Amino acid sequence: MLSTVTTPTSPADAAVLDALAPEGGRPDGGSDAAETAVRIMVAAADAFAERGFSATTTRDIASRAGLSPAGVYVHFASKEVLLFELSRRGHLRARDLLVAAARDAADPTEALRAIIGGFSRWHAEHHQLGRIVQFEFRHLGPEHQEQVLDLRREIDGVVADVLAAGVASGEFDVEDVRGTALALLSTAIDVARWYSPGQRRTPESIERLYGELAVRLVRRHAG
Amino acid sequence: MLSTVTTPTSPADAAVLDALAPEGGRPDGGSDAAETAVRIMVAAADAFAERGFSATTTRDIASRAGLSPAGVYVHFASKEVLLFELSRRGHLRARDLLVAAARDAADPTEALRAIIGGFSRWHAEHHQLGRIVQFEFRHLGPEHQEQVLDLRREIDGVVADVLAAGVASGEFDVEDVRGTALALLSTAIDVARWYSPGQRRTPESIERLYGELAVRLVRRHAG
DNA sequence: CCTGTGACTAAGCGCTTGCTTAGTGTCGCG
DNA sequence: CGCGACACTAAGCAAGCGCTTAGTCACAGG
């Protein structure tokens, strides 16, 4: 809702760590260098989501990660590079989620429900990372913006493809495919802005509602 | 005028000025003090929308407004107060727009089309102010946040009321009124994030599409 | 003419910023 | 043991920050 207050995000959610950790399961404890890098990323994700990129100091990130201010620079060349790494990993995870959901669905209707519901749920569960991904984009340097834009175009493409497939099969009745895709993505993305944990709506209920609304929006009107 | 070098205020849209200027028409030229205050607000809106609140310096605002750094403080007590004034005026205009659109509509269907279409168009035309209103909220002090929240609750209420009226009249088929209102507001709000002038989509086409999508989303399914 | 008012500037204060430098402690390996 | 590699810290630098202070200037009222 418009009136939802953005509460300070609680530190070090398992969800954030989950979305940042490397692909394969850790064999034992993991190397200390890589572990520290992840701890810095989690700390930065917390701080950026709570205060925004520009209002976050490197000292704040360092102390949340249990390091001295200089310790961050052993693992990341600058605050901007740290933002880019968070943004890149966040986009990758979100894209993989969408691609898998679209691939596994039986028909365009179920595909649309799965991708919009899933994307909405992702922005709730990973609302810290989601905020960074969606709202701190402008603080990336030009070449990092370009790399992120490539990933965004992939995400847009998945949604547009599902809509086009539904129109082709006759399940959907959509005049403006790209405009409708834009509106659907907006509902999911905006979840990251208003969601905060511990409120009435859960990621699961958001997934259900938003998946259903997406299907309602595009279905052929039998009347 | 790319070649215009000496203009202190860069983009300074008429749209921004329009949304910030005082209610009544100016009798003659307007007092110089009030005029300067508006010039500062326009400069700050430009800068906040472009770089974000924290990345904007008071020196940047001052130079865009053609003043020395100290000149800003004659009219505004602090950078935060300036943000609040922009946020407050932006919310007021948006609220007035919604209330008027809902009041003037013939039935709930047309009311919904008017408020969601109009709100979307507003976020395109005033995308600078829209970004500040929607995305810089957290940089307000606690009591200023509270004042803005009151306005947001009014805006939420207008949408929920229209949906409830449509359900009552039988025009709409909506299971979760507040959840659907949330999703509809999200599409409109998110326009401020992605819109930029000079692209293919115009504020008018956005108004038409998003108004129509809103109606599609809630209409009774005759099948 | 003098005086008061108020918009505005030049200069700068105290502090914080992102990041660097020089050095410390601990480790694996020969 | 010695040695290099490397994660990490203490201290600090240059630059920039929000905002203040002391004063200038144009002008209205008398």
Side-chain angles (χ1 to χ4, degrees):
Chain A
M1 256 320 122
L2 264 175
S3 55
T4 307
V5 195
T6 312
T7 46
T9 41
S10 51
D13 283 355
V16 176
L17 205 155
D18 178 71
L20 291 173
E23 301 291 317
R26 209 73 66 66
D28 46 88
S31 80
D32 45 329
E35 198 189 284
T36 303
V38 170
R39 217 171 60 240
I40 292 170
M41 283 193 282
V42 172
D46 269 357
F48 290 162
E50 190 178 317
R51 308 191 204 285
F53 177 75
S54 297
T56 297
T57 68
T58 55
R59 279 165 241 262
D60 186 16
I61 296 167
S63 84
R64 284 180 198 240
L67 294 171
S68 76
V72 172
Y73 291 90
V74 173
H75 301 273
F76 299 93
S78 70
K79 198 173 87 163
E80 191 268 346
V81 164
L82 190 41
L83 174 64
F84 172 62
E85 199 52 38
L86 290 174
S87 193
R88 195 181 64 85
R89 293 186 183 220
H91 275 93
L92 282 174
R93 289 293 169 119
R95 181 206 57 183
D96 293 347
L97 179 87
L98 285 193
V99 169
R103 186 188 358 93
D104 297 345
D107 54 52
T109 297
E110 289 316 308
L112 186 69
R113 194 196 306 277
I115 63 176
I116 299 302
F119 202 49
S120 302
R121 178 183 182 154
W122 189 86
H123 277 87
E125 276 172 346
H126 306 282
H127 65 282
Q128 294 173 323
L129 210 45
R131 267 175 218 178
I132 293 162
V133 156
Q134 303 298 349
F135 303 127
E136 306 294 341
F137 176 80
R138 65 175 145 201
H139 296 113
L140 292 169
E143 76 286 3
H144 285 158
Q145 285 195 359
E146 215 48 60
Q147 278 183 255
V148 165
L149 275 181
D150 284 343
L151 287 165
R152 288 195 178 184
R153 275 186 279 265
E154 283 189 61
I155 289 173
D156 292 350
V158 173
V159 178
D161 286 352
V162 168
L163 286 184
V167 169
S169 79
E171 287 168 57
F172 299 164
D173 171 32
V174 176
E175 275 176 59
D176 180 346
V177 167
R178 294 216 85 89
T180 305
L182 190 49
L184 286 171
L185 281 169
S186 283
T187 59
I189 287 169
D190 202 54
V191 170
R193 188 183 57 89
W194 59 256
Y195 179 83
S196 78
Q199 61 172 26
R200 211 175 62 267
R201 271 175 227 283
T202 63
E204 291 75 21
S205 74
I206 292 165
E207 176 175 31
R208 237 178 295 120
L209 176 61
Y210 279 39
E212 181 57 30
L213 288 178
V215 170
R216 282 189 64 133
L217 186 67
V218 301
R219 69 183 168 184
R220 177 169 295 286
H221 194 234
Chain B
M1 336 291 166
L2 270 173
S3 53
T4 309
V5 181
T6 47
T7 28
T9 48
S10 20
D13 285 353
V16 176
L17 205 154
D18 178 74
L20 292 173
E23 303 290 319
R26 209 75 64 68
D28 45 88
S31 80
D32 47 329
E35 199 189 284
T36 303
V38 170
R39 218 171 60 241
I40 293 170
M41 283 193 281
V42 172
D46 269 357
F48 290 161
E50 191 179 315
R51 308 190 204 285
F53 177 76
S54 298
T56 297
T57 68
T58 55
R59 279 166 243 262
D60 185 16
I61 295 167
S63 84
R64 284 180 198 240
L67 293 172
S68 75
V72 172
Y73 292 90
V74 174
H75 301 273
F76 298 94
S78 69
K79 198 173 85 161
E80 191 268 345
V81 165
L82 190 39
L83 173 64
F84 171 63
E85 199 52 38
L86 291 174
S87 193
R88 194 181 65 84
R89 292 183 184 222
H91 275 93
L92 282 174
R93 289 292 168 120
R95 181 207 58 183
D96 292 348
L97 179 87
L98 286 193
V99 169
R103 185 190 356 93
D104 296 346
D107 54 52
T109 296
E110 289 316 307
L112 186 68
R113 193 195 308 278
I115 62 175
I116 300 301
F119 203 48
S120 302
R121 177 185 183 151
W122 189 87
H123 277 88
E125 276 172 344
H126 305 283
H127 64 282
Q128 295 173 323
L129 209 46
R131 266 175 217 176
I132 293 162
V133 156
Q134 303 298 349
F135 304 127
E136 306 294 342
F137 176 80
R138 64 176 144 200
H139 296 113
L140 293 169
E143 77 284 4
H144 285 158
Q145 285 196 358
E146 215 48 59
Q147 279 183 254
V148 165
L149 275 181
D150 284 343
L151 287 164
R152 289 194 178 187
R153 275 186 279 266
E154 283 189 61
I155 290 173
D156 292 349
V158 173
V159 178
D161 286 352
V162 168
L163 286 184
V167 170
S169 80
E171 287 168 57
F172 300 164
D173 171 32
V174 176
E175 274 176 57
D176 181 345
V177 167
R178 292 216 87 89
T180 303
L182 187 49
L184 287 171
L185 281 168
S186 283
T187 61
I189 287 168
D190 202 53
V191 170
R193 188 182 57 89
W194 60 257
Y195 178 83
S196 78
Q199 61 173 27
R200 213 175 62 267
R201 270 174 228 285
T202 63
E204 291 75 21
S205 74
I206 292 165
E207 174 174 32
R208 238 177 296 119
L209 175 62
Y210 279 40
E212 181 57 30
L213 288 178
V215 170
R216 283 189 63 132
L217 186 66
V218 301
R219 69 185 167 182
R220 177 169 295 286
H221 194 235

